[in-house]
Amino acid sequence: MKKIFTSLSVWVVFCLLSLNAAFAQNVTIKGRVTDAGDGTSLPGVSVVVKGTQTAVQSDANGNYSISAPGSATLVFSFIGYASKEAAVNGQTTLNIALSSSTQQLEQVVVVGYGTQRKIDVTGSVATVKGEDISKQPSTNPISALQGRVAGVSITNNASPGSSPQITIRGTGTIYGNTGVLYVVDGVWYDEISFLNPADVASISVLKDASSQSIYGVRAANGVVLITTVKGKSGKPTINYNGTVGAQRVTNPVEMTNASEYATAVNEAYAVQGSAPLFTNTNLGEGTDWYDQVLRTAMINNHQLSVNGGNEKSTYNLSLGFLDQDGIIATNNYKRYTARLSNDIQLFDALKVGYNVTGTNSRSANVPNSIFRALYTASPVVPVFKSEGVYGDPTDFNLGNGSNVNPQATLDFNNSQTDKYRVTGNVYAELKFLKKLTFRTSFGGDFGQEENRNYTPKYFATKAQNTTISTLSAARISTRNWIIENTLTYDNKWEDHALTVLAGQTAQRFRSYTMTGTAQNVPYNREADLYLSLGNAAGRTIEDSGSLSTAASYFGRVNYSFKNKYLLNASIRADGASQFYGGSNLWGYFPSIGGGWVITNEDFMKDQAVFSNLKLRASWGKVGNAGVPLNPTIQTVTQTAALIAFFGGQPFTGASINRLVPPALFWERSAGTDVGLEMGFFKGKLNVEADYYSRKTEQAIFNIPILGSLGTSDSRLLGNQADFRNRGVELQATWSDKTAGGLSYSVSGNVGYNENIVLNVTSGSNPIDAGGGGLNNGVLSTRTVVGRPIGSFYGYQVVGIIQTPAEAAASGITGARPGDLKYADLNGDGRIDGKDKTFLGNPNPRFNYGLNTNFSYKNFDLTIDLQGVAGVELYNGNLGNRFGNENYIKEFFDNRWTGPGSTNAYPSASLAGGQNNQASSFLVENGDYLRIRNLQLGYSLPASLVSKWKMQRLRVFANAQNAFNFFGYRGFTPEVGGSPTNTGVDVNVYPLYATYNIGLNVTF
């Protein structure tokens, strides 16, 4: 595949370079740019050769000089002025006058099933351009949104090939599919790991219910619209974007060395009344397991695209290759992408086209538990003994199951995942009767994922060995399609503008999974690992699948009067097969929005403060169908354990393993948004403020049920509660160009969100108790009325028990000096479950970002900052202990060693007594600020690159996540998870910084 990719790339470049050599010779065009109103010079005006990336800026006197073909067209643009195009027509002098414009209002925004002018939008829609995304060295385009959009929280998973977790204006739903809906060129997806960020033209985030409701049943968690790069009429343009870099762990957690560890373990044994484990604690540094296993990881990302066409047909072809090593020595991810789009104007009334993307990826995986193993591994254990065999924790009486040799874990791990995916759509668009446009589109997402895990026969340590090799394999096939038909009426007359949209959608989602295991499979080479080679007696094969369908009808009306008064109303009806057989098969999702462009009123014409002032308000409903198929149908299970003999004949019985609700209703969210948009200084400063409130009604939860009911599943699905997200957002951008030629923009945003459970409809409170991933069985979160979803819950620490007398009076069973001291909240003299309280909120109250761009002559600089505030994390790594796990250095330096030594940190006996219970000692401040991206670029002068038959050549250096500021005692404060388990840090992939250099070349 790689050879084919390389050969094709070389062939495309060779052919198109040959065409490029035949293009007409350039001429030098000079001129002056002025203000059409007063004739003053305009410095810093962007002058671009249309259809290319060749560009210059006017100097302090408004003068410019640019090299372009004699048949070219020049595009002049300047902030606060209307863009203007001028044909060269062989001229060498072109003087241009630009007129003032409210450019921000005329900006086109992508919305559901179409586009609107920014002035006409009545909902809350944020747009990020592809050029801003391309400046981030991200492998997933959603990661590049971090810190750029108010009200949008993004948590990155640092594992190569993984997708980030995105939350729009707080948690929208609890159960089932909690992710946002991605719509790429009209096709619906749950995730977009197949998409190369360089192929993105723009991303629109629909934040309020009014803008989301046109997507009905899938919009409960927000909608992200992505348009990809399209072909442009003109000569073929070849563009290469490439980066090469390295990734290094930032903010590493320092662990104790061998001597410190031995000292702490002996102290823990003494507290427990046991003899010391180590007779000699002077063991030196020992093994630094993080240093042993972590590495500086390389990353290569390359993209080659060809763009061009004519008045009848345009095309865009792109090829991409990503090779990313993980920071664990055996971790790697490779992705190949190919994308082709073609738009053809068959005749004036009919346009057809297609977009298709093919992706192939392979990842060499590491065990899910490896970071937990590194955290707990004892430094007294060597990687290898002197005789060359693996160091064994049991040699030091450390074999308690959580203390292993991480190097052996990696060496005998053989796991890989291959993915093949083809996505895209084909469409036709017919215009008739002047005002009507009919569009039909068929799209699909067809993929196959193959997972393979192989464990050979081996003996590494007493706890890490097996006498039987095991091969497991899984194949997951996905076959999804969507058909959409829309009819649009668009008319403008006198002071009125009216757009009416009517549409229909049909969808099918199908997946099929086959899994198998076999034992005693011999290993010769990777290609010879087959289940059929194992013992027939131990071989198992299982399959499963799912099929769901949906039908939808929708409509929308947009009306504008004198560009002052705006109205937007829509409704969507969705029928989903998940609810088949009940009275709730169909859900209906209306919305309405209004806007008032105050600056277009007559009484505002003479004012000089606002270049734009617009008030908007909206209301809408969205839904969620992300629940299991047939959730109200009772199923039974037959097992060998239920065989009974009647008359000597065996009969297999059946058992009900789970309870189902008698009925399940649509989960709906109703949201209100009020926004104010303001522009100042001829559009140089733009401010947008929003207040929103969204209530999720009849939210679907899996609530706990009594074990005495006799089912193996201890939870019952149902519509259990209502909850609300409410907040404010502020985004401001200043853009300007100085007389000295410095062009710059500074954009800041901040969002505040309050999440709270309003009431419980089922009568069960709490409706959820979780905090999964803690192997010692401790639950650390609870969801109840009056609190945020997934709030941390446990004991409130009020100090450290110093003496035996204080231990006896603490009310804690088995308490010892050095243990955590808990508050007796109910005053009964005992510490038990009745004394637990709420300890923190894992849902960030504030998300903020600052994004800056500077350009001076041929240099450009980008600095992006991002952070969160008002959030807590649960350090499960520190509290999930069984006895002899390693300690972080900070704990060792501050631990309790005797009466009066400290009243903040317990003794080394963290696994004893009540110390490993969920408590405020483990709940930490999760606030952080980071320099998300720092990039410095230089574009070679146009006069120089033109001699090399190029339009543009830019080199740059980039640092991402290089500077991080936080107080959390873990690797990273970016800790995701499901809504009721978010923020619990047990096995999180460490944060790393990426340093790379890059090259952009355009022919």
Side-chain angles (χ1 to χ4, degrees):
M1 179 75 179
K2 188 174 182 180
K3 292 182 178 179
I4 294 174
F5 174 86
T6 305
S7 301
L8 181 59
S9 301
V10 172
W11 179 81
V12 171
V13 173
F14 175 80
C15 292
L16 292 171
L17 281 177
S18 300
L19 290 173
N20 189 60
F23 293 153
Q25 294 294 320
N26 287 1
V27 296
T28 299
I29 305 100
K30 297 182 179 180
R32 182 167 176 258
V33 188
T34 59
D35 186 309
D38 55 20
T40 57
S41 300
L42 292 179
V45 175
S46 174
V47 185
V48 181
V49 180
K50 187 176 181 179
T52 75
Q53 295 190 18
T54 301
V56 298
Q57 289 184 351
S58 60
D59 62 19
N61 299 314
N63 297 316
Y64 73 93
S65 176
I66 192 170
S67 177
S71 60
T73 297
L74 301 184
V75 181
F76 299 82
S77 59
F78 188 60
I79 295 173
Y81 290 80
S83 297
K84 191 171 185 178
E85 295 186 3
V88 175
N89 292 330
Q91 303 175 79
T92 58
T93 302
L94 276 176
N95 294 318
I96 300 296
L98 298 182
S99 301
S100 178
S101 169
T102 54
Q103 186 177 15
Q104 180 74 9
L105 295 179
E106 297 300 321
Q107 175 188 348
V108 175
V109 177
V110 177
V111 296
Y113 299 99
T115 60
Q116 287 183 284
R117 293 183 307 164
K118 177 69 173 175
I119 190 177
D120 295 327
V121 176
T122 61
S124 182
V125 181
T127 299
V128 178
K129 297 179 180 178
E131 60 192 62
D132 294 322
I133 294 170
S134 64
K135 289 183 179 180
Q136 297 272 359
S138 301
T139 60
N140 188 299
I142 297 303
S143 295
L145 294 182
Q146 193 172 38
R148 287 192 166 273
V149 181
V152 174
S153 174
I154 294 175
T155 302
N156 288 296
N157 183 336
S159 177
S162 61
S163 297
Q165 182 177 331
I166 177 173
T167 304
I168 300 175
R169 289 183 169 179
T171 300
T173 187
I174 302 301
Y175 184 80
N177 186 357
T178 61
V180 304
L181 169 65
Y182 297 100
V183 182
V184 182
D185 294 329
V187 183
W188 297 22
Y189 303 95
D190 288 331
E191 56 88 23
I192 54 170
S193 60
F194 64 90
L195 193 60
N196 190 328
D199 287 331
V200 173
S202 70
I203 297 180
S204 291
V205 182
L206 310 186
K207 297 193 291 182
D208 73 315
S210 172
S211 60
Q212 297 165 355
S213 65
I214 197 69
Y215 290 102
V217 70
R218 284 296 311 276
N221 302 298
V223 183
V224 176
L225 307 180
I226 299 176
T227 58
T228 57
V229 176
K230 305 295 183 183
K232 296 180 180 179
S233 178
K235 65 182 183 180
T237 300
I238 308 170
N239 188 68
Y240 166 77
N241 291 292
T243 59
V244 177
Q247 302 164 141
R248 291 183 60 88
V249 170
T250 60
N251 303 83
V253 176
E254 186 180 2
M255 309 299 293
T256 61
N257 61 30
S259 296
E260 294 165 338
Y261 170 79
T263 300
V265 169
N266 280 354
E267 290 178 5
Y269 275 54
V271 170
Q272 298 166 16
S274 302
L277 183 63
F278 297 94
T279 57
N280 176 22
T281 60
N282 188 19
L283 301 175
E285 292 295 319
T287 303
D288 185 334
W289 286 106
Y290 282 119
D291 184 65
Q292 168 67 23
V293 172
L294 301 184
R295 64 175 173 178
T296 297
M298 299 300 296
I299 180 171
N300 289 271
N301 199 357
H302 306 278
Q303 193 244 14
L304 180 69
S305 66
V306 184
N307 191 299
N310 52 41
E311 294 180 355
K312 293 294 185 182
S313 176
T314 59
Y315 63 88
N316 184 79
L317 168 67
S318 72
L319 304 172
F321 171 62
L322 169 67
D323 185 359
Q324 182 181 11
D325 288 333
I327 57 173
I328 293 287
T330 58
N331 198 195
N332 175 263
Y333 176 76
K334 287 184 174 67
R335 182 184 67 194
Y336 303 86
T337 59
R339 182 180 174 277
L340 177 62
S341 67
N342 195 193
D343 299 287
I344 305 169
Q345 195 77 45
L346 291 180
F347 48 89
D348 290 345
L350 181 61
K351 181 179 182 181
V352 298
Y354 62 87
N355 303 278
V356 61
T357 300
T359 306
N360 168 226
S361 66
R362 167 169 287 190
S363 59
N365 309 315
V366 294
N368 293 331
S369 61
I370 187 61
F371 291 105
R372 176 66 185 164
L374 290 174
Y375 190 93
T376 59
S378 169
V380 302
V381 178
V383 181
F384 294 99
K385 301 178 186 178
S386 58
E387 58 269 30
V389 298
Y390 288 97
D392 193 337
T394 60
D395 292 343
F396 303 87
N397 295 317
L398 298 175
N400 61 2
S402 65
N403 212 320
V404 298
N405 186 318
Q407 188 64 57
T409 300
L410 289 175
D411 289 347
F412 293 101
N413 175 71
N414 187 335
S415 173
Q416 71 178 38
T417 299
D418 292 278
K419 295 182 180 180
Y420 309 89
R421 196 170 183 181
V422 178
T423 66
N425 75 321
V426 58
Y427 75 90
E429 192 172 273
L430 177 66
K431 295 184 178 180
F432 60 101
L433 300 180
K434 295 183 180 181
K435 308 298 182 183
L436 291 173
T437 301
F438 174 75
R439 179 185 173 93
T440 183
S441 171
F442 174 79
D445 179 11
F446 309 102
Q448 183 164 296
E449 178 179 330
E450 298 177 356
N451 300 298
R452 191 207 67 202
N453 292 276
Y454 179 71
T455 303
K457 297 179 182 179
Y458 77 100
F459 187 95
T461 69
K462 289 183 180 179
Q464 296 166 276
N465 63 84
T466 179
T467 58
I468 301 175
S469 65
T470 302
L471 174 66
S472 63
R475 176 174 295 175
I476 306 170
S477 300
T478 303
R479 303 290 184 266
N480 303 332
W481 56 254
I482 178 172
I483 297 175
E484 292 190 311
N485 299 294
T486 60
L487 180 64
T488 305
Y489 172 79
D490 195 349
N491 192 15
K492 293 180 178 145
W493 69 100
E494 296 180 350
D495 296 328
H496 308 274
L498 175 66
T499 301
V500 180
L501 169 75
Q504 170 269 335
T505 297
Q507 300 178 75
R508 190 184 78 167
F509 306 93
R510 182 183 181 185
S511 67
Y512 177 76
T513 301
M514 178 172 286
T515 60
T517 60
Q519 295 180 339
N520 288 322
V521 176
Y523 182 84
N524 295 313
R525 55 176 183 164
E526 294 292 308
D528 292 335
L529 290 175
Y530 296 103
L531 296 173
S532 60
L533 299 177
N535 294 342
R539 194 182 307 144
T540 63
I541 296 179
E542 297 179 356
D543 66 345
S544 61
S546 66
L547 174 65
S548 63
T549 58
S552 308
Y553 302 91
F554 54 90
R556 181 175 62 206
V557 175
N558 296 99
Y559 174 72
S560 171
F561 178 67
K562 289 187 176 182
N563 280 334
K564 299 179 186 178
Y565 312 112
L566 314 171
L567 176 67
N568 181 314
S570 70
I571 187 168
R572 183 176 181 115
D574 283 312
S577 62
Q578 290 94 314
F579 297 93
Y580 180 74
S583 59
N584 297 283
L585 176 61
W586 287 87
Y588 302 92
F589 308 99
S591 77
I592 189 168
W596 178 25
V597 185
I598 304 173
T599 42
N600 285 348
E601 294 285 359
D602 292 340
F603 63 81
M604 293 290 288
K605 288 184 176 179
D606 295 330
Q607 61 85 31
V609 177
F610 296 100
S611 56
N612 170 40
L613 182 60
K614 173 183 167 185
L615 179 66
R616 51 177 170 76
S618 65
W619 172 91
K621 277 195 172 187
V622 294
N624 173 37
V627 297
L629 300 180
N630 306 315
T632 62
I633 296 178
Q634 183 68 68
T635 59
V636 297
T637 301
Q638 291 183 310
T639 65
L642 300 175
I643 293 178
F645 289 87
F646 296 94
Q649 296 296 320
F651 292 88
T652 303
S655 173
I656 295 176
N657 290 330
R658 68 183 182 95
L659 297 179
V660 299
L664 199 64
F665 304 97
W666 283 91
E667 181 180 280
R668 295 174 174 85
S669 295
T672 302
D673 181 276
V674 179
L676 183 65
E677 300 174 14
M678 298 170 285
F680 305 90
F681 309 109
K682 294 184 177 181
K684 295 179 181 179
L685 174 63
N686 290 282
V687 180
E688 192 164 341
D690 280 85
Y691 165 83
Y692 64 88
S693 180
R694 179 183 59 179
K695 179 182 177 183
T696 299
E697 304 165 339
Q698 296 182 328
I700 299 174
F701 279 81
N702 233 340
I703 65 169
I705 59 177
L706 295 174
S708 58
L709 293 176
T711 62
S712 59
D713 190 342
S714 60
R715 293 172 178 265
L716 174 65
L717 187 67
N719 300 97
Q720 314 291 6
D722 298 343
F723 63 89
R724 183 187 65 207
N725 288 281
R726 183 170 59 186
V728 293
E729 297 168 356
L730 179 66
Q731 186 143 353
T733 302
W734 174 274
S735 301
D736 200 4
K737 297 180 180 180
T738 68
L742 174 65
S743 175
Y744 66 93
S745 68
V746 179
S747 179
N749 69 82
V750 61
Y752 168 80
N753 183 74
E754 176 194 63
N755 174 273
I756 189 171
V757 178
L758 297 175
N759 58 70
V760 175
T761 58
S762 67
S764 175
N765 193 23
I767 51 178
D768 188 89
L774 302 178
N775 295 328
N776 57 3
V778 172
L779 297 178
S780 58
T781 73
R782 180 165 286 197
T783 301
V784 301
V785 172
R787 295 284 179 174
I789 293 169
S791 295
F792 297 128
Y793 187 76
Y795 295 108
Q796 181 66 52
V797 175
V798 292
I800 305 299
I801 297 174
Q802 302 291 333
T803 64
E806 192 175 346
S810 67
I812 303 174
T813 302
R816 298 164 302 202
D819 284 355
L820 295 170
K821 185 177 182 180
Y822 301 135
D824 182 9
L825 297 181
N826 67 350
D828 64 358
R830 295 182 303 173
I831 300 298
D832 53 26
K834 298 177 182 178
D835 296 301
K836 291 184 177 181
T837 187
F838 291 92
L839 305 173
N841 182 3
N843 307 286
R845 299 168 183 86
F846 295 93
N847 283 274
Y848 59 91
L850 180 67
N851 307 283
T852 65
N853 291 282
F854 303 91
S855 178
Y856 179 72
K857 295 184 178 179
N858 293 340
F859 290 93
D860 61 87
L861 175 66
T862 298
I863 304 174
D864 297 327
L865 287 79
Q866 174 264 330
V868 302
V871 61
E872 285 77 44
L873 301 175
Y874 186 86
N875 195 334
N877 274 324
L878 184 61
N880 189 16
R881 298 184 64 88
F882 298 90
N884 295 323
E885 295 85 355
N886 200 3
Y887 301 85
I888 61 174
K889 185 68 162 57
E890 179 187 345
F891 177 85
F892 178 82
D893 291 341
N894 295 280
R895 73 195 187 284
W896 183 90
T897 56
S901 57
T902 179
N903 201 39
Y905 283 75
S907 71
S909 183
L910 270 174
Q914 296 289 320
N915 281 343
N916 60 2
Q917 296 297 309
S919 72
S920 59
F921 177 70
L922 302 174
V923 176
E924 304 183 32
N925 190 325
D927 298 357
Y928 71 85
L929 168 65
R930 71 161 56 105
I931 299 181
R932 169 69 178 160
N933 197 47
L934 178 63
Q935 186 178 110
L936 177 63
Y938 176 75
S939 299
L940 272 65
S943 58
L944 178 60
V945 298
S946 63
K947 294 180 181 179
W948 300 339
K949 305 299 181 182
M950 297 180 184
Q951 297 181 26
R952 187 190 188 201
L953 192 155
R954 175 178 177 266
V955 294
F956 62 90
N958 194 94
Q960 185 180 63
N961 297 337
F963 304 98
N964 304 273
F965 309 95
F966 59 86
Y968 177 59
R969 292 177 290 187
F971 267 101
T972 172
E974 280 194 85
V975 183
S978 64
T980 56
N981 294 291
T982 191
V984 179
D985 183 0
V986 177
N987 194 42
V988 175
Y989 206 104
L991 175 71
Y992 54 76
T994 302
Y995 306 91
N996 53 25
I997 56 175
L999 177 68
N1000 304 141
V1001 183
T1002 303
F1003 296 95

